[in-house]
Amino acid sequence: MISKTTFRVSHRALLGHWLLVPLGAALHFAPHAPFTLAGANAPETLTNILSWAGMGLAAWGLLNVAYQRLAHEYVIGPDRVIERHGIIARRVTPLFIHHIRSTEVNQTILGRLLGYGTVEMSAAGTGTSEARFERVANPLKVMASINSHFQSLAAGTGQE
């Protein structure tokens, strides 16, 4: 019996958002630093604005990471794959494994370096992808998991 496997967006795929947190924190706690490096005195109103902007930048980065991680869930079950998006408004795309005709992995150069990518599954009779697992860690492992569920289902051992 094969159980369900759940995947989420990889932390490494959200590196750009994670970098906003220390950048914003540095700007918040040291708003005078850019002016000191330039050898100038900073007006107090400008440093207050930079401090608040830094706090906002750090908060934006954290909120964006939290949303991406919580709002995207990908499940590979014994008989279907399920793609879920959203927190309040929700979009759920189930696809039966026996309908999958091809799986494809797409990785950018940065995705290859950091170990994340997109797994696309297309169903019989369609030329487009029916389900996409975007920015998952180890996309080749995810594709192998889908293929093993497909083989298990074809062999008749995939019942829950």
Side-chain angles (χ1 to χ4, degrees):
M1 172 172 34
I2 296 177
S3 63
K4 293 182 179 181
T5 309
T6 302
F7 298 95
R8 294 209 179 261
V9 173
S10 170
H11 283 291
R12 290 172 274 172
L14 302 173
L15 182 63
H17 301 295
W18 277 117
L19 290 176
L20 291 178
V21 176
L23 179 66
L27 195 57
H28 175 68
F29 291 113
H32 295 90
F35 298 102
T36 305
L37 290 174
N41 290 330
E44 187 174 338
T45 57
L46 187 56
T47 56
N48 287 339
I49 290 171
L50 285 176
S51 178
W52 281 101
M55 191 183 324
L57 197 62
W60 175 258
L62 281 175
L63 288 173
N64 211 335
V65 166
Y67 172 76
Q68 294 295 328
R69 292 280 296 168
L70 294 174
H72 299 87
E73 181 181 43
Y74 310 114
V75 179
I76 302 173
D79 60 343
R80 71 180 85 194
V81 295
I82 301 168
E83 172 188 16
R84 293 186 184 117
H85 293 282
I87 294 176
I88 298 171
R90 195 108 163 125
R91 180 175 53 102
V92 178
T93 307
L95 178 62
F96 285 100
I97 287 185
H98 64 274
H99 289 164
I100 296 175
R101 293 297 171 241
S102 67
T103 56
E104 181 179 320
V105 171
N106 293 318
Q107 286 183 292
T108 62
I109 294 171
L110 187 60
R112 289 282 310 266
L113 291 172
L114 296 177
Y116 69 88
T118 300
V119 179
E120 296 182 6
M121 292 144 278
S122 51
T126 64
T128 61
S129 65
E130 291 290 320
R132 293 172 52 110
F133 290 6
E134 296 180 4
R135 297 172 295 178
V136 293
N138 301 320
L140 294 174
K141 184 177 174 184
V142 174
M143 187 172 78
S145 177
I146 293 168
N147 291 338
S148 80
H149 278 73
F150 182 77
Q151 290 171 354
S152 166
L153 191 64
T157 60
Q159 289 85 21
E160 262 191 323

